[in-house]
Structure formats: structure tokens, C-alpha cells
Amino acid sequence: MTPMTNGRACRYVDVVGLWCALGYAALTFLARQPGEPDLPVFFLLVAWTSLPVFSLYLYFHRRGEPFPLGRLIFWAVVFRIFGLAGGPFYEDDFYRYLWDGYRFATTGTPYGAVPETFFSDPGVPAVFRGILDRINYPELPTIYAPVTQVVFLFGYWLKPGSVIALQAILILVDLATIALLLRLAPTGNVMLYAWCPLVVKEVAFTAHPDGIGVCLLLAAIVLARKHRWWGAAVCLGMAVGAKIFALVLVPLVLVGASFGYWVLFVVTLSALYAPFILQGGAGFDSLLVFAREWEFNSAAFGLFTTVLQPFGAKLVLGLVCAAFWGHYYFRYSRSGDREIPRGDWLYGIFLMASPVINPWYLLWLLPFAAITPSVSAWTASIAVFLGYVTGLNLNDGNLQPYQQPVWVRPLEFGLILLALAYDWFRRWPTGLGNRANN
């Protein structure tokens, strides 16, 4: 590549980066206004910050040029700074994170007592009384796992009751995720994740903690590829200790390891939970309530419940997921070349069968969609924002707060299915999704 060509490519990167930064600046401004941003404006800004990124990826891929690493990191940091300045919107989960950090710091455990028992407690500091009043489902104990709770505790130590402190920690974790991805995929592919509006919104703006488990899972994969099994096993235990979603890939990462490393994984996970279990609980009760009763923005599960009872739908879809996972594991374990597991496939199937698909759940899928890009995965990263079209965000009194208009799911999952059909016929994963050779 000649210096002139390199300079032209870098200018193109900076133009797209500046364009996206303007979009995130506008989103920051809206997030800081009273109330929530209007949904049409939000979706306009999603298109503003996503379509040029896809165009940039295709430009570099088709030319076979390396994406400039420095600019990738620079603009990724800029976008996240706007998120830090803007703060959460369309979400109130962060009040629970802040409350859990307070409880952990003052009592030694965030588990056990439910928030509503403190409504009339005069000992609650004023800043946390305001937080307590905004916690959703205050009748349930926290559902978040031990490693995630440690991060909430760090946020409390930095500044009690501050969502900005928590955002800053999670942004650093996300930047570590980008660094790990650079060991697994070309820079152009990693740009898809680093500049993804869903990642910026859910991590930098809204402070969803799923990125903690994702980062640990990728660290385990990097270590396993270097046959550093003890580190991989410990990271996997911590990943599952951050969120149970990581369990999907644990057997695939440890497939080449000896039995002792499986024991180390179990010991690590047990050590994370044991102190809280000995103090009276570790969030399992709320996890069971969530698994048994909650449904939101579901795809296949929503369809199946039109002809089956919820338990029957879960059973059938669980068997389908287990069969797909088992088939993949059988083929993967017998292959001589240990490629990076197709987390995009496995998490994609898992989410399509799940009774709940929150937008931030795709944080588990998108790193693997950067390793092996597909139209369907990156279409999903945009379409899933339709999950925010609810009665609450529409200010529609004819809908329940978390009820969606009837057109939302057909549009959301119809777009994803069209993209899947495109991938199937064009076979994008083998054409554009070249794996890293390192």
C-alpha cells in the first residue's frame, strides 16, 4: 500500500469516526435532558452511527488493506467518553447495581435482604434512599452473580452511589475486551465490535455489566489457544461467576484440557459462590424466578407459546438447543484443528430460544461475530434495539410498561431472518469472515 493510499484510507477512517462522534454527542445531549430520548430520534442516531461503520468495514475488506490500529482505539475511546458523559437512558437497572455495591460494602454481602425491607429504614444514607426508591422489582433479592458484585463494590469504593464510577470501570473492561479481540481477529473485524452502537450504548451509556463475563471468557479463549490451561480454567470459572451465560462455551474451551483443569474450573467457581452461600444465599432464588416467570421480546419462545404452555415451549426449545450444542460439540471435539468456538452460532441459537431477549444480551454474541463476521449477527446488533419500543418508552397508556406493540417482533426478527437467509445463500461466514491466523 502506497503512502498516498494509506493517507486516503486514514482520512476515510477519520471522517467516519468524526461522523459517528457527532451522533454520539447528540445522543449524550439527549440523554442528559429530562425524560427519555424520543424513540424516532434514537433510531435515527443508531442508523447514523452504524451504517457508516459497516461501509468502512467493507471498504477495507474488499481492498485487503489493514485497518489502522491507532485510529480504531482512538475513536473507540472517544465514543465511550460520550457515553460516560451521557449516562443511562431507557434503563433503570443501574439503581440495583449501586444498591448492591452499597449493601456489599456495608454488610459483606449483597444477597439475602430484599430492597423493599429498607423503605422505612432511617439508617439508609440519603443518596441511597433516592436510589432505593427507583429499584425495579424491590420485592426480589439481587440476581447478579459474585464477580459482577465485586465490580459493583469497586464502583462503591470509587464513589458511593455514582453511576459514573461504574460506567468508567465497565468502559475499561470493554477496552480490555477489544484488546483481547485483537489477538483473535484482524483489526478491521475488531472495528465492527469496537465501534458498534449496541456496545457503546449498553456498556458506556447504560453500564450493563455483561461485558465483565464476556471479557473473562475471551481471556480464557486466548489463554487456551496458548495451552495455558490453568489460567483458562480460572478465567472460565470467573466468567461463569459473572454470568451463567458463559457456561455455554466452557466445555468447548476446555475440550483439550486434562481433567485437573476441569477441577480447577469447578473449584474457582465454587470459591466465588461459597462465601455468599455461607452467609445465606447467592441470588439463586431470583434466578429461578427469572427463569420460571419472565418473558420479554422473545422470538421462538413467543411463537411456541401460541400453541404450547410456557413450560412445554421451554422444554421443546431446550431440547432443540441441547441437540444443536451437542452436535456442535461432537464435531468440534473431533476436529484436529482447535478453531475458536462459534460463539455467534451458539449464543444466537440460545437467544432465539430464550424467553427474554434484552438488547444487551447480544454483548455475548458480538465478539464472536467480530471473529467471524456475518450479515445476520450485525443486523441483529441493530434490529435488537427495537426491544426498547415498549409502552413505557412510547408513553402509551394503552400498553403495559414493558408491553410491545404487535408490529415490533415481526419487524425485529423478520430483519434478522432475512439476514440469515442472505448469509445462507451467500455463505458470508466462509467468504468474509476470515479467522485470524495468530
Side-chain angles (χ1 to χ4, degrees), residues 241-252:
K243 191 162 187 172
I244 197 171
F245 281 19
L247 199 57
V248 170
L249 288 190
V250 167
L252 294 160

Side-chain angles (χ1 to χ4, degrees), residues 236-405:
L236 285 173
M238 294 177 66
V240 178
K243 191 162 187 172
I244 197 171
F245 281 19
L247 199 57
V248 170
L249 288 190
V250 167
L252 294 160
V253 178
L254 289 181
V255 69
S258 63
F259 179 72
Y261 295 112
W262 288 81
V263 173
L264 179 58
F265 159 72
V266 174
V267 169
T268 300
L269 184 59
S270 301
L272 292 169
Y273 273 99
F276 302 108
I277 293 173
L278 292 175
Q279 294 182 76
F284 297 130
D285 292 344
S286 291
L287 188 62
L288 290 174
V289 171
F290 178 87
R292 184 175 62 247
E293 298 180 7
W294 290 5
E295 189 277 339
F296 174 73
N297 194 40
S298 62
F301 178 79
L303 285 176
F304 275 52
T305 52
T306 61
V307 294
L308 296 172
Q309 293 296 317
F311 178 79
K314 292 175 184 177
L315 179 61
V316 171
L317 290 169
L319 291 173
V320 171
C321 286
F324 181 87
W325 188 94
H327 174 71
Y328 182 84
Y329 179 82
F330 177 77
R331 293 188 60 183
Y332 185 83
S333 63
R334 290 172 63 89
S335 64
D337 181 19
R338 289 284 186 267
E339 296 182 337
I340 300 168
R342 290 301 300 265
D344 54 334
W345 291 355
L346 296 169
Y347 282 117
I349 291 291
F350 170 74
L351 291 176
M352 291 299 283
S354 174
V356 177
I357 305 177
N358 288 311
W360 57 92
Y361 287 3
L362 265 75
L363 293 174
W364 290 87
L365 182 153
L366 294 180
F368 300 96
I371 296 168
T372 308
S374 64
V375 173
S376 52
W378 294 104
T379 298
S381 77
I382 304 305
V384 76
F385 277 126
L386 287 166
Y388 284 117
V389 182
T390 62
L392 181 64
N393 294 327
L394 289 170
N395 293 315
D396 188 340
N398 295 319
L399 296 172
Q400 296 296 319
Y402 295 104
Q403 184 181 358
Q404 297 169 302

Side-chain angles (χ1 to χ4, degrees), residues 30-108:
L30 293 174
R32 295 184 66 85
Q33 303 308 303
E36 304 285 18
D38 288 338
L39 282 168
V41 177
F42 171 69
F43 284 115
L44 175 62
L45 292 174
V46 168
W48 180 289
T49 53
S50 60
L51 298 181
V53 171
F54 298 147
S55 174
L56 190 62
Y57 167 77
L58 292 173
Y59 173 86
F60 276 89
H61 181 84
R62 288 171 177 169
R63 289 175 174 263
E65 298 178 6
F67 196 93
L69 177 60
R71 282 169 164 80
L72 184 154
I73 300 298
F74 172 78
W75 287 112
V77 171
V78 168
F79 302 157
R80 284 154 178 79
I81 290 174
F82 281 119
L84 185 66
F89 60 94
Y90 297 153
E91 289 295 335
D92 57 8
D93 289 348
F94 66 94
Y95 292 115
R96 174 77 75 162
Y97 312 156
L98 299 175
W99 176 256
D100 284 358
Y102 162 71
R103 291 287 298 160
F104 198 168
T106 55
T107 68

